[in-house]
Amino acid sequence: MKIEAKSSLPTVIQGGMGIGVSSSRMARAVSLTGQLGVVSGTAVDAVMTRRLQDGDPSGEIRRVLKQFPDQKCVTEVLSRYFIEGGKAEHASYLDTPKPSLTPSQFASQLVVLANFVEVALAKEGNSGLIGVNFLEKIQLATPASIFGAMIANVDYILMGAGIPSDIPQLIRDLLAEEKIHFKIKVEGADHPSLLIFDPHIIDGVDYESLKKPFFIAIVSSHILANYLARDEETKPDGFVIEGPTAGGHNAPPRSKESVGSDGQSVFGEKDQADLSKVAALGLPFWLAGGYGTPEKVKQAISLGATGVQVGSLFALTTESGITENLRNEVLSRVQSGTLEVRTEPHASSTGFPFKVIEINGTASEDSVYQGRTRQCDLGYLRIPYKRPDDGIGYRCSGEPTRTFVFKGGDIDATKDVRCLCNALMANIGFGQVRWGTYSEPALLTLGSDFSGIEELHAIHNHFWTSSEVVEYLLR
Ligand SMILES: Cc1cc2nc3c(=O)[nH]c(=O)nc-3n(C[C@H](O)[C@H](O)[C@H](O)COP(=O)(O)O)c2cc1C
């Protein structure tokens, strides 16, 4: 195992944005500026296989796959998903296996491979730092995902949306070439179940050359930071402290009166981390959520932070995975001063509030969402639960209502929920085509502090690049 000294820590972390918003192109562009570029590792198996079914027009996936140690796996994946010239426009994409406690060997190999591809592409011709972002809630994909990123020599692993206490040990075990027994929460069960992941399903890995990535836990409170830092087993190498204006998912409000009269999540004093307590832990930390201006970068550093993690400014760059049409729509709203973001308490089946931009024609409109047939064919947010017969089932409040209720789910949870898996794939141009007739609607997210966006828009008048964001932040 190679141990690499982290000579210098980045001031700017480009936040990981799923699904596919923080693309390898974006992460690479940021990394080339000397800051930390981060790819999203969420659902990258679906992203990669859909790109292959679109014919991998740039050829980059097939190019980088030539470096993957296990070429038998590569051949299998290409033979199942690659379509020369791309699928017919109205044909549906083939499904990828849903994450589960007992994945097939192929399903695990596919996840390893897809994470390898994202990181390897971001690192192509680039000696800068690259990170990968995961959501703790998507536990079932975690061991294979982290392993794939490590094979591609990832420098940082960042994880939010949960309490990532098992990740430092998981990284140590992977480095030691051990079979992983990863604890998975099962709703209604007294004990977690174990997901077995054997890294030897990938041949040809040179364990000597694997390096230990820097692990950053993304949390919202000093209490959680303290909990993770006090035990060597769970201690990360640093923290991102993310406040409630951040794009994507937010930590649930701590107050009981957490939904306001306008139906949005309400955050208060209790939701602000005590930064002096975070600083006292002695680990590097970065601040996120409305830290996307040069003034806020200076403020973060004056508060003891190493720097900032910024998402929204990067989500609108030319390297963003979000389709140009949707980015144009957002920018025209910025221009007219009509951009609105709501913090929806129930839009995500994770139970975490989720920021939603209101744009006509997207699933932010009830009528658009209701016009869609409920389906759960991607399944990343399915939760394992204990069935009455003691077996384990999987459910998601975004799946067909009757199915969810049949599985013991609470009907109230199905009401305002959106199918984030399908919507977020649509945001990046990989929306599933249903029965040759309609495509899944998109659903955009951004942070609710627009100061940096407005200023960059005033400077550039149109889109900007990721390196321009870094230049602006470090002005
Ligand atoms: C489009 C979008 C998608 C995001 N997806 C993720 C994600 O998958 N995982 C994560 O940890 N954070 C996610 N975030 C949060 C960002 O990584 C970052 O912490 C946050 O955007 C910082 O706040 P800001 O938007 O005010 O800059 C997302 C943010 C945006 C705007």
Side-chain angles (χ1 to χ4, degrees):
M1 173 182 97
K2 246 184 352 197
I3 307 252
E4 299 223 338
K6 289 277 167 284
S7 48
S8 63
L9 296 168
T11 307
V12 176
I13 300 179
Q14 161 254 307
M17 296 176 281
I19 297 174
V21 175
S22 53
S23 59
S24 53
R25 237 158 55 90
M26 179 190 293
R28 186 168 181 280
V30 173
S31 171
L32 286 170
T33 71
Q35 302 302 320
L36 178 59
V38 180
V39 295
S40 164
T42 300
V44 282
D45 47 343
V47 175
M48 183 187 75
T49 55
R50 289 188 182 188
R51 285 173 73 191
L52 288 173
Q53 289 168 78
D54 284 343
D56 182 23
S58 65
E60 61 183 20
I61 300 181
R62 284 163 294 154
R63 183 178 70 237
V64 88
L65 278 176
K66 292 200 177 113
Q67 298 161 25
F68 192 68
D70 188 336
Q71 287 297 310
K72 266 206 320 290
C73 272
V74 172
T75 306
E76 178 70 23
V77 167
L78 291 180
S79 74
R80 289 203 199 190
Y81 292 104
F82 176 62
I83 302 178
E84 187 79 55
K87 69 171 184 64
E89 199 185 336
H90 296 296
S92 301
Y93 289 108
L94 283 179
D95 286 339
T96 39
K98 292 180 195 161
S100 90
L101 270 161
T102 48
S104 66
Q105 177 161 311
F106 174 75
S108 299
Q109 288 171 331
L110 182 62
V111 175
V112 175
L113 206 113
N115 279 275
F116 169 86
V117 165
E118 276 307 293
V119 175
L121 280 175
K123 283 192 150 259
E124 245 186 351
N126 166 23
S127 58
L129 297 174
I130 290 294
V132 61
N133 173 285
F134 299 112
L135 299 179
E136 197 274 339
K137 288 268 179 193
I138 308 188
Q139 283 194 303
L140 292 166
T142 299
S145 300
I146 290 189
F147 189 50
M150 283 170 62
I151 298 175
N153 206 19
V154 76
D155 301 287
Y156 280 63
I157 290 175
L158 302 97
M159 186 175 274
I163 306 177
S165 47
D166 292 334
I167 305 305
Q169 189 56 45
L170 171 62
I171 293 172
R172 285 189 285 271
D173 288 346
L174 286 171
L175 287 170
E177 212 182 324
E178 277 179 21
K179 201 186 235 191
I180 304 299
H181 296 80
F182 193 62
K183 282 193 240 123
I184 303 286
K185 288 166 217 120
V186 176
E187 252 177 32
D190 299 333
H191 303 289
S193 285
L194 290 179
L195 167 73
I196 313 289
F197 173 73
D198 185 353
H200 297 105
I201 59 168
I202 306 295
D203 279 340
V205 176
D206 175 8
Y207 286 85
E208 285 295 308
S209 73
L210 291 188
K211 79 173 184 216
K212 182 194 162 303
F214 201 79
F215 174 60
I216 298 191
I218 306 172
V219 297
S220 64
S221 81
H222 55 276
I223 301 167
L224 194 47
N226 181 49
Y227 166 78
L228 291 171
R230 72 180 175 199
D231 185 339
E232 281 304 317
E233 281 278 300
T234 61
K235 186 172 166 180
D237 299 305
F239 292 104
V240 166
I241 307 291
E242 191 181 68
T245 65
H249 284 97
N250 302 131
R254 294 171 72 84
S255 148
K256 285 207 181 87
E257 315 270 299
S258 63
V259 181
S261 54
D262 60 356
Q264 297 192 60
S265 300
V266 178
F267 298 93
E269 281 284 294
K270 284 192 201 157
D271 300 301
Q272 300 298 330
D274 182 336
L275 297 179
S276 62
K277 291 198 172 136
V278 176
L281 297 173
L283 293 171
F285 65 97
W286 290 260
L287 299 183
Y291 278 87
T293 63
E295 296 72 30
K296 292 296 263 183
V297 176
K298 292 196 185 89
Q299 186 193 338
I301 291 170
S302 74
L303 291 166
T306 301
V308 296
Q309 171 169 287
V310 173
S312 301
L313 291 187
F314 288 104
L316 299 175
T317 59
T318 48
E319 292 95 357
S320 166
I322 299 176
T323 62
E324 193 168 337
N325 278 349
L326 286 168
R327 281 185 286 124
N328 266 325
E329 195 57 52
V330 173
L331 278 199
S332 70
R333 273 151 213 262
V334 173
Q335 196 150 17
S336 58
T338 54
L339 182 63
E340 288 205 25
V341 173
R342 284 176 59 84
T343 307
E344 295 289 353
H346 308 301
S348 167
S349 62
T350 60
F352 281 36
F354 187 72
K355 292 265 187 310
V356 171
I357 310 187
E358 308 211 299
I359 296 185
N360 299 348
T362 70
S364 63
E365 280 189 299
D366 256 346
S367 57
V368 170
Y369 192 66
Q370 301 311 339
R372 158 189 192 270
T373 305
R374 288 174 85 111
Q375 297 255 356
C376 182
D377 49 355
L378 285 161
Y380 294 99
L381 297 177
R382 295 188 317 167
I383 307 275
Y385 72 97
K386 189 175 153 198
R387 294 194 314 236
D389 65 359
D390 282 345
I392 290 178
Y394 302 87
R395 65 188 175 209
C396 173
S397 54
E399 72 187 322
T401 308
R402 276 166 57 167
T403 316
F404 182 68
V405 172
F406 174 77
K407 293 175 181 172
D410 177 358
I411 193 159
D412 285 344
T414 64
K415 290 205 175 111
D416 297 321
V417 77
R418 297 293 189 253
C419 174
L420 289 191
C421 295
N422 273 296
L424 300 194
M425 288 297 283
N427 291 349
I428 58 167
F430 294 124
Q432 182 60 294
V433 182
R434 302 284 178 205
W435 308 287
T437 53
Y438 76 94
S439 282
E440 283 285 347
L443 183 71
L444 274 190
T445 177
L446 268 191
S448 55
D449 183 328
F450 307 144
S451 352
I453 292 180
E454 284 165 354
E455 209 176 330
L456 271 177
H457 184 255
I459 298 169
H460 297 284
N461 201 22
H462 198 52
F463 296 131
W464 48 84
T465 64
S466 300
S467 69
E468 283 166 345
V469 174
V470 174
E471 197 181 311
Y472 162 72
L473 291 172
L474 301 179
R475 187 165 71 184

